Amino acid sequence: MMTDPICKAHVSEGSSYVTDYGGKKYYFCSAECKNKFDQLEKSVIRLKRNIGEKERISFGKLKKEIINLGICTLCGACVSSCESIAFVNSQPKLIDKCTACGVCYNQCPRTVTREEDLVGKLRFGYAARSGMPDSKGQDGGVVTSLLAYGLEEGLLDCAIVTRKSEGNPWRPEPFIATTADEVLESAGSIYSHSMTMEPLMSAIKQGMRSIAFVGPSCNIDAVHKMQTSPYGFLHLFLRAKVLKFGLFCMDSFEHEGIREFVQAKGMDLNDIESMKIRKGVFEFGMADGLESYDLSELDQYRSTSCKFCTDMAAENSDISFGGVGTPQGWSTVLARSSIG
């Protein structure tokens, strides 16, 4: 007995309702089930042809980028969409000829097939840099300029930012900035987690109503959830408007880990003027030059939460900023919301 692929009923091989597809015979209990199957397969053929006309993507690409790296979720999207793929030893595997139609790659939830999947929704994108002569911000210094402008023009009551601790070099210290000079103190990136939610709530309780909040995606997500969750704390302060400035982020490290690494390399945190991650390299800027190390050397000091982060571009912010996608000395700026 055979199984009808549509209704799962048992069917005799003598059934008059038969279809050949992919070199295999399928048997049906009725004309209705056969027609449903034929219509479905015609749609699949059109889909494969449409994808194939745009880009030839083989199963090999899926295997290299997702399966071999251990990113596969075993959801079965690729197996269910192609008769040439099956689960073998709990992994998707090619069991027949691949036509490079791209269907398996485009169904996979872990592949990036649209720009939106990579950077989130946005309204406008810019390459920008600061016009302030005294700005020492990261990349193009755009965040520093916008915050300083907002405070000077009275558009913002304050900004929640992070600066380096005076007593403990390069330890992040979140604070409430109310002047342009205080914003300038916070210029530049610190690659350690900053507990920015406490100063945000403090600013709200002080009666500040127009607040800029600066942080990577994890901090931005905290504010976003407090705004949108039915039990979000910010529902208690509806008069407070928080403008979320999200920073591109790929890695964060324990402060003591950075200190240990720097000392192991014969450097002193007090002598380091800037830190930057660019193209897989961690750069330490000092008065007498630049020291660069492969990012993998700091793996043991990486924050555990970063291993599970899927949001490099702070997708829940009003405006996102980062150095990826623009020349050195410029910032990529993604305006995501109407207020942004």
Side-chain angles (χ1 to χ4, degrees):
M1 298 290 286
M2 309 301 292
T3 301
D4 186 320
I6 299 297
C7 70
K8 307 305 178 184
H10 292 299
V11 185
S12 166
E13 288 190 35
S15 172
S16 57
Y17 306 108
V18 185
T19 288
D20 272 310
Y21 176 70
K24 182 179 178 181
K25 286 187 181 295
Y26 293 87
Y27 298 84
F28 306 90
C29 66
S30 64
E32 183 180 1
C33 283
K34 180 180 182 302
N35 289 336
K36 286 181 179 179
F37 183 87
D38 289 344
Q39 286 300 120
L40 176 63
E41 296 313 322
K42 287 178 182 177
S43 298
V44 170
I45 291 170
R46 283 196 297 269
L47 176 63
K48 289 183 176 181
R49 187 178 297 127
N50 183 49
I51 296 175
E53 289 172 354
K54 295 178 180 178
E55 183 180 3
R56 305 295 290 176
I57 303 175
S58 70
F59 175 78
K61 183 176 175 67
L62 184 71
K63 188 173 187 297
K64 178 182 178 182
E65 295 183 3
I66 307 299
I67 300 170
N68 289 351
L69 297 181
I71 304 173
C72 176
T73 65
L74 299 178
C75 68
C78 57
V79 174
S80 66
S81 59
C82 179
E83 65 278 3
S84 296
I85 305 172
F87 278 118
V88 178
N89 296 326
S90 300
Q91 275 198 339
K93 185 176 181 179
L94 194 66
I95 59 172
D96 205 344
K97 182 181 178 181
C98 176
T99 61
C101 66
V103 165
C104 64
Y105 190 87
N106 278 274
Q107 311 312 305
C108 178
R110 288 299 175 91
T111 59
V112 176
T113 54
R114 302 175 302 167
E115 182 180 273
E116 184 178 302
D117 295 332
L118 185 63
V119 297
K121 294 181 179 179
L122 61 106
R123 296 183 177 221
F124 300 101
Y126 307 92
R129 61 180 176 182
S130 172
M132 296 173 63
D134 52 349
S135 173
K136 296 181 181 180
Q138 197 85 342
D139 300 311
V142 180
V143 175
T144 303
S145 286
L146 290 179
L147 293 178
Y149 173 80
L151 290 170
E152 288 181 337
E153 295 297 317
L155 300 174
L156 298 171
D157 294 331
C158 69
I160 309 303
V161 293
T162 299
R163 63 189 171 192
K164 296 187 286 288
S165 169
E166 289 186 7
N168 197 341
W170 289 97
R171 178 178 289 280
E173 181 181 271
F175 75 107
I176 303 170
T178 56
T179 67
D181 287 340
E182 288 178 333
V183 166
L184 290 173
E185 290 179 32
S186 69
S189 293
I190 302 176
Y191 291 98
S192 297
H193 283 304
S194 178
M195 314 305 176
T196 46
M197 297 309 298
E198 187 174 345
L200 171 63
M201 297 311 299
S202 177
I204 292 174
K205 291 172 183 177
Q206 290 175 38
M208 297 184 182
R209 293 292 177 256
S210 182
I211 304 170
F213 179 91
V214 182
S217 61
C218 45
N219 295 44
I220 294 296
D221 288 348
V223 178
H224 177 73
K225 191 162 188 178
M226 292 174 75
Q227 290 175 319
T228 58
S229 168
Y231 303 104
F233 204 60
L234 289 178
H235 287 303
L236 301 176
F237 305 96
L238 293 178
R239 292 183 181 179
K241 304 300 180 185
V242 182
L243 177 65
K244 302 184 291 292
F245 279 18
L247 307 176
F248 286 14
C249 181
M250 287 169 279
D251 282 300
S252 180
F253 303 88
E254 300 297 335
H255 173 262
E256 293 306 319
I258 292 179
R259 177 189 294 278
E260 182 180 316
F261 180 82
V262 165
Q263 290 176 345
K265 297 297 183 181
M267 300 182 290
D268 191 321
L269 272 181
N270 290 288
D271 299 330
I272 294 175
E273 298 178 352
S274 66
M275 295 185 190
K276 185 172 181 62
I277 296 175
R278 179 182 291 276
K279 296 182 178 179
V281 174
F282 202 124
E283 300 175 348
F284 297 92
M286 295 173 287
D288 57 352
L290 193 70
E291 293 289 337
S292 301
Y293 302 92
D294 193 281
L295 196 55
S296 62
E297 291 191 53
L298 288 95
D299 277 349
Q300 62 181 308
Y301 308 115
R302 182 179 284 110
S303 298
T304 55
S305 61
C306 295
K307 298 176 182 178
F308 306 97
C309 178
T310 58
D311 182 7
M312 179 273 291
E315 297 176 17
N316 285 320
S317 58
D318 294 300
I319 314 177
S320 298
F321 306 84
V324 178
T326 44
Q328 191 165 354
W330 290 74
S331 294
T332 297
V333 181
L334 306 177
R336 299 189 183 277
S337 68
S338 57
I339 188 172

